[in-house]
């Protein structure tokens, strides 16, 4: 079932916040608690008008996170640390080879519409994948971005990107993750995002035959982000945000 969020007008997200979004990339894996603490601090500064909006690209060491709808039964095997988090969604995996993008935008100034914001994140992912000739699609009954897998059978689809967001004072944080070349077997220890139907699995760009560097993906992410959300200003990698 195609998601009706594709019909939303997303043009109002771009260029209305009165500033350029800071674009950050961390080269070394970032521990999850450290990332959450940094996001919390930056969100408070953005809400107070003391810091610009931020997109932070990083990788995590292997771990699982559980969102506000997470179920303990969806953790099938505790292979890696589990972190409860305030983002929306259920249980997912993060680890090397997966590009995580934490997005801290002032939606009060841009557009205070959570549904449209999620659609904007989906569109960002879809346009990023299109740069590598991968067709990502929304689904009404499943979160994230999906690719059809006719090679696996009729009606089979795999999730290639996840979305989980949280807002404080209308400033967003958490964000998206795209599977570039993670160890897909690490998803076997969970029910990813609560989707247990055997027709729906998890894939990556590498699994689909696209062998890319993280830098390749970052370039596509930045171009697609600017198309949907507006201009960015890059900063050199640093220890904190």
């Amino acid at each position: 079932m195609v998601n009706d969020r594709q019909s939303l007008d997303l043009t109002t997200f771009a260029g209305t916040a009165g500033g350029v979004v800071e674009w950050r990339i961390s080269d070394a894996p970032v521990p999850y608690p450290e990332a959450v603490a940094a996001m919390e601090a930056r969100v408070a500064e953005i809400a107070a008008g003391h810091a610009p909006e931020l997109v932070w690209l990083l990788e995590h060491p292997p771990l699982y996170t559980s969102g506000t709808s997470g179920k303990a039964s969806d953790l099938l095997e505790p292979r890696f640390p589990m972190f409860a988090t305030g983002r929306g969604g259920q249980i997912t995996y993060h680890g090397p080879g997966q590009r995580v993008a934490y997005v801290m935008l002032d939606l009060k100034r841009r557009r205070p519409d959570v549904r449209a914001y999620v659609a904007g994140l989906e569109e960002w992912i879809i346009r990023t994948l299109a740069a590598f000739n991968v067709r990502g699609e929304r689904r009404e009954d499943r979160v994230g971005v999906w690719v059809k897998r006719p090679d696996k059978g009729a009606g089979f689809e795999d999730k290639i990107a996840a979305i989980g967001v949280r807002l404080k004072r209308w400033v967003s944080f958490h964000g998206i993750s795209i599977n570039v070349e993670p160890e897909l077997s690490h998803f076997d220890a969970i029910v990813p995002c609560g989707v247990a139907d055997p027709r729906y699995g998890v894939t990556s760009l590498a699994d689909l035959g696209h062998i890319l560097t993280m830098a390749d993906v970052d370039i596509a992410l930045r171009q697609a982000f600017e198309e949907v959300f507006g201009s960015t200003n890059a900063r050199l990698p640093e220890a904190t945000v």
Side-chain angles (χ1 to χ4, degrees), residues 187-211:
F187 287 93
D188 295 342
I190 60 173
V191 180
C193 299
V195 179
D197 191 316
R199 296 174 298 168
Y200 307 138
V202 179
T203 191
S204 66
L205 286 165
D207 184 49
L208 296 174
H210 300 272
I211 307 303

mmCIF file with all atom_site columns, all heavy atoms in Angstrom, residues 187-211:
data_model
loop_
_atom_site.group_PDB
_atom_site.id
_atom_site.type_symbol
_atom_site.label_atom_id
_atom_site.label_alt_id
_atom_site.label_comp_id
_atom_site.label_asym_id
_atom_site.label_entity_id
_atom_site.label_seq_id
_atom_site.pdbx_PDB_ins_code
_atom_site.Cartn_x
_atom_site.Cartn_y
_atom_site.Cartn_z
_atom_site.occupancy
_atom_site.B_iso_or_equiv
_atom_site.pdbx_formal_charge
_atom_site.auth_seq_id
_atom_site.auth_comp_id
_atom_site.auth_asym_id
_atom_site.auth_atom_id
_atom_site.pdbx_PDB_model_num
ATOM 1   N N   . PHE A 1 187 ? 20.643 -7.783  12.319 1.00 0.00 ? 187 PHE A N   1
ATOM 2   C CA  . PHE A 1 187 ? 19.197 -7.531  12.413 1.00 0.00 ? 187 PHE A CA  1
ATOM 3   C C   . PHE A 1 187 ? 18.433 -8.790  12.798 1.00 0.00 ? 187 PHE A C   1
ATOM 4   O O   . PHE A 1 187 ? 17.266 -8.697  13.208 1.00 0.00 ? 187 PHE A O   1
ATOM 5   C CB  . PHE A 1 187 ? 18.659 -6.997  11.084 1.00 0.00 ? 187 PHE A CB  1
ATOM 6   C CG  . PHE A 1 187 ? 19.041 -5.569  10.783 1.00 0.00 ? 187 PHE A CG  1
ATOM 7   C CD1 . PHE A 1 187 ? 20.183 -5.289  10.044 1.00 0.00 ? 187 PHE A CD1 1
ATOM 8   C CD2 . PHE A 1 187 ? 18.267 -4.505  11.218 1.00 0.00 ? 187 PHE A CD2 1
ATOM 9   C CE1 . PHE A 1 187 ? 20.544 -3.976  9.747  1.00 0.00 ? 187 PHE A CE1 1
ATOM 10  C CE2 . PHE A 1 187 ? 18.623 -3.195  10.936 1.00 0.00 ? 187 PHE A CE2 1
ATOM 11  C CZ  . PHE A 1 187 ? 19.761 -2.926  10.200 1.00 0.00 ? 187 PHE A CZ  1
ATOM 12  N N   . ASP A 1 188 ? 19.051 -9.953  12.677 1.00 0.00 ? 188 ASP A N   1
ATOM 13  C CA  . ASP A 1 188 ? 18.362 -11.207 12.970 1.00 0.00 ? 188 ASP A CA  1
ATOM 14  C C   . ASP A 1 188 ? 18.034 -11.357 14.448 1.00 0.00 ? 188 ASP A C   1
ATOM 15  O O   . ASP A 1 188 ? 17.170 -12.162 14.811 1.00 0.00 ? 188 ASP A O   1
ATOM 16  C CB  . ASP A 1 188 ? 19.222 -12.404 12.534 1.00 0.00 ? 188 ASP A CB  1
ATOM 17  C CG  . ASP A 1 188 ? 19.436 -12.463 11.035 1.00 0.00 ? 188 ASP A CG  1
ATOM 18  O OD1 . ASP A 1 188 ? 18.661 -11.814 10.296 1.00 0.00 ? 188 ASP A OD1 1
ATOM 19  O OD2 . ASP A 1 188 ? 20.377 -13.158 10.603 1.00 0.00 ? 188 ASP A OD2 1
ATOM 20  N N   . ALA A 1 189 ? 18.707 -10.608 15.306 1.00 0.00 ? 189 ALA A N   1
ATOM 21  C CA  . ALA A 1 189 ? 18.493 -10.719 16.750 1.00 0.00 ? 189 ALA A CA  1
ATOM 22  C C   . ALA A 1 189 ? 17.312 -9.888  17.236 1.00 0.00 ? 189 ALA A C   1
ATOM 23  O O   . ALA A 1 189 ? 17.002 -9.891  18.429 1.00 0.00 ? 189 ALA A O   1
ATOM 24  C CB  . ALA A 1 189 ? 19.755 -10.315 17.502 1.00 0.00 ? 189 ALA A CB  1
ATOM 25  N N   . ILE A 1 190 ? 16.654 -9.167  16.331 1.00 0.00 ? 190 ILE A N   1
ATOM 26  C CA  . ILE A 1 190 ? 15.500 -8.344  16.699 1.00 0.00 ? 190 ILE A CA  1
ATOM 27  C C   . ILE A 1 190 ? 14.381 -8.546  15.681 1.00 0.00 ? 190 ILE A C   1
ATOM 28  O O   . ILE A 1 190 ? 14.587 -9.131  14.609 1.00 0.00 ? 190 ILE A O   1
ATOM 29  C CB  . ILE A 1 190 ? 15.859 -6.837  16.752 1.00 0.00 ? 190 ILE A CB  1
ATOM 30  C CG1 . ILE A 1 190 ? 16.358 -6.353  15.381 1.00 0.00 ? 190 ILE A CG1 1
ATOM 31  C CG2 . ILE A 1 190 ? 16.890 -6.563  17.838 1.00 0.00 ? 190 ILE A CG2 1
ATOM 32  C CD1 . ILE A 1 190 ? 16.574 -4.834  15.301 1.00 0.00 ? 190 ILE A CD1 1
ATOM 33  N N   . VAL A 1 191 ? 13.204 -8.059  16.024 1.00 0.00 ? 191 VAL A N   1
ATOM 34  C CA  . VAL A 1 191 ? 12.129 -7.890  15.044 1.00 0.00 ? 191 VAL A CA  1
ATOM 35  C C   . VAL A 1 191 ? 12.217 -6.433  14.612 1.00 0.00 ? 191 VAL A C   1
ATOM 36  O O   . VAL A 1 191 ? 11.741 -5.541  15.328 1.00 0.00 ? 191 VAL A O   1
ATOM 37  C CB  . VAL A 1 191 ? 10.747 -8.200  15.645 1.00 0.00 ? 191 VAL A CB  1
ATOM 38  C CG1 . VAL A 1 191 ? 9.650  -8.003  14.595 1.00 0.00 ? 191 VAL A CG1 1
ATOM 39  C CG2 . VAL A 1 191 ? 10.712 -9.614  16.204 1.00 0.00 ? 191 VAL A CG2 1
ATOM 40  N N   . PRO A 1 192 ? 12.874 -6.129  13.487 1.00 0.00 ? 192 PRO A N   1
ATOM 41  C CA  . PRO A 1 192 ? 13.175 -4.738  13.148 1.00 0.00 ? 192 PRO A CA  1
ATOM 42  C C   . PRO A 1 192 ? 11.915 -3.885  13.031 1.00 0.00 ? 192 PRO A C   1
ATOM 43  O O   . PRO A 1 192 ? 11.023 -4.179  12.229 1.00 0.00 ? 192 PRO A O   1
ATOM 44  C CB  . PRO A 1 192 ? 13.904 -4.844  11.801 1.00 0.00 ? 192 PRO A CB  1
ATOM 45  C CG  . PRO A 1 192 ? 14.429 -6.248  11.762 1.00 0.00 ? 192 PRO A CG  1
ATOM 46  C CD  . PRO A 1 192 ? 13.404 -7.066  12.492 1.00 0.00 ? 192 PRO A CD  1
ATOM 47  N N   . CYS A 1 193 ? 11.837 -2.879  13.889 1.00 0.00 ? 193 CYS A N   1
ATOM 48  C CA  . CYS A 1 193 ? 10.714 -1.938  13.878 1.00 0.00 ? 193 CYS A CA  1
ATOM 49  C C   . CYS A 1 193 ? 9.375  -2.645  14.026 1.00 0.00 ? 193 CYS A C   1
ATOM 50  O O   . CYS A 1 193 ? 8.342  -2.139  13.573 1.00 0.00 ? 193 CYS A O   1
ATOM 51  C CB  . CYS A 1 193 ? 10.747 -1.065  12.632 1.00 0.00 ? 193 CYS A CB  1
ATOM 52  S SG  . CYS A 1 193 ? 12.245 -0.059  12.521 1.00 0.00 ? 193 CYS A SG  1
ATOM 53  N N   . GLY A 1 194 ? 9.378  -3.823  14.634 1.00 0.00 ? 194 GLY A N   1
ATOM 54  C CA  . GLY A 1 194 ? 8.151  -4.551  14.903 1.00 0.00 ? 194 GLY A CA  1
ATOM 55  C C   . GLY A 1 194 ? 7.519  -5.225  13.709 1.00 0.00 ? 194 GLY A C   1
ATOM 56  O O   . GLY A 1 194 ? 6.398  -5.736  13.806 1.00 0.00 ? 194 GLY A O   1
ATOM 57  N N   . VAL A 1 195 ? 8.228  -5.284  12.588 1.00 0.00 ? 195 VAL A N   1
ATOM 58  C CA  . VAL A 1 195 ? 7.678  -5.881  11.370 1.00 0.00 ? 195 VAL A CA  1
ATOM 59  C C   . VAL A 1 195 ? 8.110  -7.348  11.304 1.00 0.00 ? 195 VAL A C   1
ATOM 60  O O   . VAL A 1 195 ? 9.273  -7.650  11.021 1.00 0.00 ? 195 VAL A O   1
ATOM 61  C CB  . VAL A 1 195 ? 8.145  -5.127  10.107 1.00 0.00 ? 195 VAL A CB  1
ATOM 62  C CG1 . VAL A 1 195 ? 7.571  -5.782  8.847  1.00 0.00 ? 195 VAL A CG1 1
ATOM 63  C CG2 . VAL A 1 195 ? 7.717  -3.668  10.191 1.00 0.00 ? 195 VAL A CG2 1
ATOM 64  N N   . ALA A 1 196 ? 7.163  -8.260  11.565 1.00 0.00 ? 196 ALA A N   1
ATOM 65  C CA  . ALA A 1 196 ? 7.475  -9.683  11.655 1.00 0.00 ? 196 ALA A CA  1
ATOM 66  C C   . ALA A 1 196 ? 7.091  -10.466 10.407 1.00 0.00 ? 196 ALA A C   1
ATOM 67  O O   . ALA A 1 196 ? 7.451  -11.636 10.287 1.00 0.00 ? 196 ALA A O   1
ATOM 68  C CB  . ALA A 1 196 ? 6.776  -10.286 12.872 1.00 0.00 ? 196 ALA A CB  1
ATOM 69  N N   . ASP A 1 197 ? 6.373  -9.849  9.480  1.00 0.00 ? 197 ASP A N   1
ATOM 70  C CA  . ASP A 1 197 ? 5.940  -10.545 8.258  1.00 0.00 ? 197 ASP A CA  1
ATOM 71  C C   . ASP A 1 197 ? 7.164  -11.041 7.488  1.00 0.00 ? 197 ASP A C   1
ATOM 72  O O   . ASP A 1 197 ? 8.060  -10.253 7.171  1.00 0.00 ? 197 ASP A O   1
ATOM 73  C CB  . ASP A 1 197 ? 5.128  -9.583  7.392  1.00 0.00 ? 197 ASP A CB  1
ATOM 74  C CG  . ASP A 1 197 ? 4.409  -10.265 6.239  1.00 0.00 ? 197 ASP A CG  1
ATOM 75  O OD1 . ASP A 1 197 ? 5.029  -11.115 5.565  1.00 0.00 ? 197 ASP A OD1 1
ATOM 76  O OD2 . ASP A 1 197 ? 3.234  -9.947  6.002  1.00 0.00 ? 197 ASP A OD2 1
ATOM 77  N N   . PRO A 1 198 ? 7.241  -12.345 7.170  1.00 0.00 ? 198 PRO A N   1
ATOM 78  C CA  . PRO A 1 198 ? 8.434  -12.876 6.488  1.00 0.00 ? 198 PRO A CA  1
ATOM 79  C C   . PRO A 1 198 ? 8.664  -12.316 5.095  1.00 0.00 ? 198 PRO A C   1
ATOM 80  O O   . PRO A 1 198 ? 9.754  -12.467 4.541  1.00 0.00 ? 198 PRO A O   1
ATOM 81  C CB  . PRO A 1 198 ? 8.180  -14.382 6.449  1.00 0.00 ? 198 PRO A CB  1
ATOM 82  C CG  . PRO A 1 198 ? 6.698  -14.529 6.580  1.00 0.00 ? 198 PRO A CG  1
ATOM 83  C CD  . PRO A 1 198 ? 6.260  -13.402 7.470  1.00 0.00 ? 198 PRO A CD  1
ATOM 84  N N   . ARG A 1 199 ? 7.665  -11.666 4.524  1.00 0.00 ? 199 ARG A N   1
ATOM 85  C CA  . ARG A 1 199 ? 7.853  -11.048 3.200  1.00 0.00 ? 199 ARG A CA  1
ATOM 86  C C   . ARG A 1 199 ? 8.691  -9.778  3.285  1.00 0.00 ? 199 ARG A C   1
ATOM 87  O O   . ARG A 1 199 ? 9.186  -9.299  2.256  1.00 0.00 ? 199 ARG A O   1
ATOM 88  C CB  . ARG A 1 199 ? 6.495  -10.704 2.575  1.00 0.00 ? 199 ARG A CB  1
ATOM 89  C CG  . ARG A 1 199 ? 5.601  -11.879 2.268  1.00 0.00 ? 199 ARG A CG  1
ATOM 90  C CD  . ARG A 1 199 ? 4.245  -11.372 1.795  1.00 0.00 ? 199 ARG A CD  1
ATOM 91  N NE  . ARG A 1 199 ? 3.592  -10.591 2.846  1.00 0.00 ? 199 ARG A NE  1
ATOM 92  C CZ  . ARG A 1 199 ? 2.505  -9.827  2.642  1.00 0.00 ? 199 ARG A CZ  1
ATOM 93  N NH1 . ARG A 1 199 ? 1.990  -9.720  1.430  1.00 0.00 ? 199 ARG A NH1 1
ATOM 94  N NH2 . ARG A 1 199 ? 1.964  -9.158  3.658  1.00 0.00 ? 199 ARG A NH2 1
ATOM 95  N N   . TYR A 1 200 ? 8.835  -9.243  4.487  1.00 0.00 ? 200 TYR A N   1
ATOM 96  C CA  . TYR A 1 200 ? 9.486  -7.950  4.653  1.00 0.00 ? 200 TYR A CA  1
ATOM 97  C C   . TYR A 1 200 ? 10.774 -8.114  5.458  1.00 0.00 ? 200 TYR A C   1
ATOM 98  O O   . TYR A 1 200 ? 10.744 -8.425  6.645  1.00 0.00 ? 200 TYR A O   1
ATOM 99  C CB  . TYR A 1 200 ? 8.546  -6.968  5.354  1.00 0.00 ? 200 TYR A CB  1
ATOM 100 C CG  . TYR A 1 200 ? 7.195  -6.840  4.698  1.00 0.00 ? 200 TYR A CG  1
ATOM 101 C CD1 . TYR A 1 200 ? 6.034  -6.779  5.454  1.00 0.00 ? 200 TYR A CD1 1
ATOM 102 C CD2 . TYR A 1 200 ? 7.090  -6.807  3.304  1.00 0.00 ? 200 TYR A CD2 1
ATOM 103 C CE1 . TYR A 1 200 ? 4.787  -6.660  4.838  1.00 0.00 ? 200 TYR A CE1 1
ATOM 104 C CE2 . TYR A 1 200 ? 5.852  -6.699  2.688  1.00 0.00 ? 200 TYR A CE2 1
ATOM 105 C CZ  . TYR A 1 200 ? 4.701  -6.624  3.462  1.00 0.00 ? 200 TYR A CZ  1
ATOM 106 O OH  . TYR A 1 200 ? 3.482  -6.524  2.848  1.00 0.00 ? 200 TYR A OH  1
ATOM 107 N N   . GLY A 1 201 ? 11.903 -7.889  4.798  1.00 0.00 ? 201 GLY A N   1
ATOM 108 C CA  . GLY A 1 201 ? 13.202 -8.053  5.438  1.00 0.00 ? 201 GLY A CA  1
ATOM 109 C C   . GLY A 1 201 ? 13.975 -6.755  5.499  1.00 0.00 ? 201 GLY A C   1
ATOM 110 O O   . GLY A 1 201 ? 13.407 -5.660  5.466  1.00 0.00 ? 201 GLY A O   1
ATOM 111 N N   . VAL A 1 202 ? 15.287 -6.889  5.586  1.00 0.00 ? 202 VAL A N   1
ATOM 112 C CA  . VAL A 1 202 ? 16.192 -5.741  5.667  1.00 0.00 ? 202 VAL A CA  1
ATOM 113 C C   . VAL A 1 202 ? 17.252 -5.899  4.588  1.00 0.00 ? 202 VAL A C   1
ATOM 114 O O   . VAL A 1 202 ? 17.751 -7.001  4.346  1.00 0.00 ? 202 VAL A O   1
ATOM 115 C CB  . VAL A 1 202 ? 16.858 -5.655  7.052  1.00 0.00 ? 202 VAL A CB  1
ATOM 116 C CG1 . VAL A 1 202 ? 17.817 -4.469  7.109  1.00 0.00 ? 202 VAL A CG1 1
ATOM 117 C CG2 . VAL A 1 202 ? 15.806 -5.553  8.150  1.00 0.00 ? 202 VAL A CG2 1
ATOM 118 N N   . THR A 1 203 ? 17.594 -4.813  3.938  1.00 0.00 ? 203 THR A N   1
ATOM 119 C CA  . THR A 1 203 ? 18.620 -4.844  2.903  1.00 0.00 ? 203 THR A CA  1
ATOM 120 C C   . THR A 1 203 ? 19.562 -3.664  3.071  1.00 0.00 ? 203 THR A C   1
ATOM 121 O O   . THR A 1 203 ? 19.419 -2.855  3.994  1.00 0.00 ? 203 THR A O   1
ATOM 122 C CB  . THR A 1 203 ? 17.990 -4.845  1.497  1.00 0.00 ? 203 THR A CB  1
ATOM 123 O OG1 . THR A 1 203 ? 19.002 -5.140  0.518  1.00 0.00 ? 203 THR A OG1 1
ATOM 124 C CG2 . THR A 1 203 ? 17.359 -3.497  1.161  1.00 0.00 ? 203 THR A CG2 1
ATOM 125 N N   . SER A 1 204 ? 20.533 -3.573  2.183  1.00 0.00 ? 204 SER A N   1
ATOM 126 C CA  . SER A 1 204 ? 21.495 -2.468  2.187  1.00 0.00 ? 204 SER A CA  1
ATOM 127 C C   . SER A 1 204 ? 21.860 -2.152  0.744  1.00 0.00 ? 204 SER A C   1
ATOM 128 O O   . SER A 1 204 ? 21.562 -2.926  -0.183 1.00 0.00 ? 204 SER A O   1
ATOM 129 C CB  . SER A 1 204 ? 22.748 -2.850  2.965  1.00 0.00 ? 204 SER A CB  1
ATOM 130 O OG  . SER A 1 204 ? 23.449 -3.895  2.303  1.00 0.00 ? 204 SER A OG  1
ATOM 131 N N   . LEU A 1 205 ? 22.526 -1.038  0.562  1.00 0.00 ? 205 LEU A N   1
ATOM 132 C CA  . LEU A 1 205 ? 23.003 -0.706  -0.784 1.00 0.00 ? 205 LEU A CA  1
ATOM 133 C C   . LEU A 1 205 ? 23.959 -1.777  -1.288 1.00 0.00 ? 205 LEU A C   1
ATOM 134 O O   . LEU A 1 205 ? 23.890 -2.183  -2.455 1.00 0.00 ? 205 LEU A O   1
ATOM 135 C CB  . LEU A 1 205 ? 23.674 0.665   -0.767 1.00 0.00 ? 205 LEU A CB  1
ATOM 136 C CG  . LEU A 1 205 ? 22.709 1.853   -0.656 1.00 0.00 ? 205 LEU A CG  1
ATOM 137 C CD1 . LEU A 1 205 ? 23.458 3.122   -0.268 1.00 0.00 ? 205 LEU A CD1 1
ATOM 138 C CD2 . LEU A 1 205 ? 21.946 2.057   -1.956 1.00 0.00 ? 205 LEU A CD2 1
ATOM 139 N N   . ALA A 1 206 ? 24.819 -2.278  -0.414 1.00 0.00 ? 206 ALA A N   1
ATOM 140 C CA  . ALA A 1 206 ? 25.757 -3.327  -0.820 1.00 0.00 ? 206 ALA A CA  1
ATOM 141 C C   . ALA A 1 206 ? 25.019 -4.608  -1.180 1.00 0.00 ? 206 ALA A C   1
ATOM 142 O O   . ALA A 1 206 ? 25.356 -5.283  -2.162 1.00 0.00 ? 206 ALA A O   1
ATOM 143 C CB  . ALA A 1 206 ? 26.767 -3.585  0.293  1.00 0.00 ? 206 ALA A CB  1
ATOM 144 N N   . ASP A 1 207 ? 24.008 -4.944  -0.401 1.00 0.00 ? 207 ASP A N   1
ATOM 145 C CA  . ASP A 1 207 ? 23.209 -6.147  -0.659 1.00 0.00 ? 207 ASP A CA  1
ATOM 146 C C   . ASP A 1 207 ? 22.521 -6.065  -2.015 1.00 0.00 ? 207 ASP A C   1
ATOM 147 O O   . ASP A 1 207 ? 22.308 -7.088  -2.688 1.00 0.00 ? 207 ASP A O   1
ATOM 148 C CB  . ASP A 1 207 ? 22.181 -6.315  0.459  1.00 0.00 ? 207 ASP A CB  1
ATOM 149 C CG  . ASP A 1 207 ? 21.372 -7.591  0.330  1.00 0.00 ? 207 ASP A CG  1
ATOM 150 O OD1 . ASP A 1 207 ? 21.973 -8.665  0.139  1.00 0.00 ? 207 ASP A OD1 1
ATOM 151 O OD2 . ASP A 1 207 ? 20.130 -7.523  0.442  1.00 0.00 ? 207 ASP A OD2 1
ATOM 152 N N   . LEU A 1 208 ? 22.201 -4.851  -2.433 1.00 0.00 ? 208 LEU A N   1
ATOM 153 C CA  . LEU A 1 208 ? 21.551 -4.637  -3.734 1.00 0.00 ? 208 LEU A CA  1
ATOM 154 C C   . LEU A 1 208 ? 22.564 -4.516  -4.868 1.00 0.00 ? 208 LEU A C   1
ATOM 155 O O   . LEU A 1 208 ? 22.181 -4.275  -6.007 1.00 0.00 ? 208 LEU A O   1
ATOM 156 C CB  . LEU A 1 208 ? 20.680 -3.383  -3.679 1.00 0.00 ? 208 LEU A CB  1
ATOM 157 C CG  . LEU A 1 208 ? 19.496 -3.427  -2.697 1.00 0.00 ? 208 LEU A CG  1
ATOM 158 C CD1 . LEU A 1 208 ? 18.812 -2.071  -2.644 1.00 0.00 ? 208 LEU A CD1 1
ATOM 159 C CD2 . LEU A 1 208 ? 18.501 -4.513  -3.090 1.00 0.00 ? 208 LEU A CD2 1
ATOM 160 N N   . GLY A 1 209 ? 23.844 -4.669  -4.554 1.00 0.00 ? 209 GLY A N   1
ATOM 161 C CA  . GLY A 1 209 ? 24.879 -4.644  -5.582 1.00 0.00 ? 209 GLY A CA  1
ATOM 162 C C   . GLY A 1 209 ? 25.564 -3.310  -5.778 1.00 0.00 ? 209 GLY A C   1
ATOM 163 O O   . GLY A 1 209 ? 26.340 -3.152  -6.725 1.00 0.00 ? 209 GLY A O   1
ATOM 164 N N   . HIS A 1 210 ? 25.313 -2.359  -4.874 1.00 0.00 ? 210 HIS A N   1
ATOM 165 C CA  . HIS A 1 210 ? 25.917 -1.026  -4.986 1.00 0.00 ? 210 HIS A CA  1
ATOM 166 C C   . HIS A 1 210 ? 27.015 -0.889  -3.933 1.00 0.00 ? 210 HIS A C   1
ATOM 167 O O   . HIS A 1 210 ? 26.735 -0.630  -2.762 1.00 0.00 ? 210 HIS A O   1
ATOM 168 C CB  . HIS A 1 210 ? 24.858 0.055   -4.805 1.00 0.00 ? 210 HIS A CB  1
ATOM 169 C CG  . HIS A 1 210 ? 23.754 -0.006  -5.824 1.00 0.00 ? 210 HIS A CG  1
ATOM 170 N ND1 . HIS A 1 210 ? 23.825 0.644   -7.031 1.00 0.00 ? 210 HIS A ND1 1
ATOM 171 C CD2 . HIS A 1 210 ? 22.580 -0.674  -5.805 1.00 0.00 ? 210 HIS A CD2 1
ATOM 172 C CE1 . HIS A 1 210 ? 22.720 0.399   -7.721 1.00 0.00 ? 210 HIS A CE1 1
ATOM 173 N NE2 . HIS A 1 210 ? 21.952 -0.398  -7.001 1.00 0.00 ? 210 HIS A NE2 1
ATOM 174 N N   . ILE A 1 211 ? 28.249 -1.077  -4.336 1.00 0.00 ? 211 ILE A N   1
ATOM 175 C CA  . ILE A 1 211 ? 29.388 -0.987  -3.428 1.00 0.00 ? 211 ILE A CA  1
ATOM 176 C C   . ILE A 1 211 ? 29.870 0.460   -3.427 1.00 0.00 ? 211 ILE A C   1
ATOM 177 O O   . ILE A 1 211 ? 30.454 0.942   -4.404 1.00 0.00 ? 211 ILE A O   1
ATOM 178 C CB  . ILE A 1 211 ? 30.521 -1.947  -3.849 1.00 0.00 ? 211 ILE A CB  1
ATOM 179 C CG1 . ILE A 1 211 ? 29.958 -3.356  -4.009 1.00 0.00 ? 211 ILE A CG1 1
ATOM 180 C CG2 . ILE A 1 211 ? 31.641 -1.912  -2.832 1.00 0.00 ? 211 ILE A CG2 1
ATOM 181 C CD1 . ILE A 1 211 ? 29.277 -3.908  -2.760 1.00 0.00 ? 211 ILE A CD1 1
#
